Amino acid sequence: MSHYEERLERDLREIRTQLAGLHALIDTAIGQSTQAMLSGDRELASRTIIEDNPINRATRELDRLCHSFIVRHLPSAGVLRFISSVMRLAVALERIGDYACSVAREALLLSKQPPKTVAADIE
């Protein structure tokens, strides 16, 4: 494998790793916001809202990595489609993280736990 191919693979691996990390943060936020809504756990809801900042930072870092990759490698065909997909996916994931934050904010505003029929739908 040439030096260029090694660098390309290393950069792609870094982007995949960053994307997986962003996914893990958002998956945690969704779980926490849902749990806070169902249990009325105000502390968990507050922590979920605060933990939106690392999601935003991870999204910006992923975006930076993708743009740097394009500038550095001038990819074509499949690799360019992959990077383009990652960039669109990062925007969608960040939006989902914002929704988790909104659910946590609503959990803070609730005066009591939702009825069991509503809770089943939330789960």
Side-chain angles (χ1 to χ4, degrees), residues 12-72:
L12 284 171
R13 195 170 33 255
E14 185 177 0
I15 288 170
R16 287 184 184 105
T17 300
Q18 184 71 23
L19 181 61
L22 178 60
H23 170 265
L25 289 172
I26 291 169
D27 193 42
T28 299
I30 291 169
Q32 287 178 341
S33 64
T34 303
Q35 183 61 33
M37 174 72 73
L38 295 173
S39 67
D41 188 338
R42 298 176 61 79
E43 183 179 322
L44 182 59
S46 296
R47 189 169 64 239
T48 303
I49 293 167
I50 291 168
E51 289 172 357
D52 187 51
N53 288 328
I55 290 172
N56 294 337
R57 281 194 302 275
T59 302
R60 285 191 302 272
E61 176 62 14
L62 182 58
D63 189 58
R64 186 195 65 74
L65 286 172
C66 288
H67 281 95
S68 295
F69 182 89
I70 290 169
V71 169
R72 184 178 299 119

Side-chain angles (χ1 to χ4, degrees), residues 67-95:
H67 281 95
S68 295
F69 182 89
I70 290 169
V71 169
R72 184 178 299 119
H73 298 288
L74 299 172
S76 61
V79 175
L80 184 59
R81 284 190 295 274
F82 170 73
I83 296 299
S84 177
S85 296
V86 168
M87 292 172 76
R88 287 191 307 267
L89 183 60
V91 170
L93 287 172
E94 200 276 331
R95 190 173 304 133

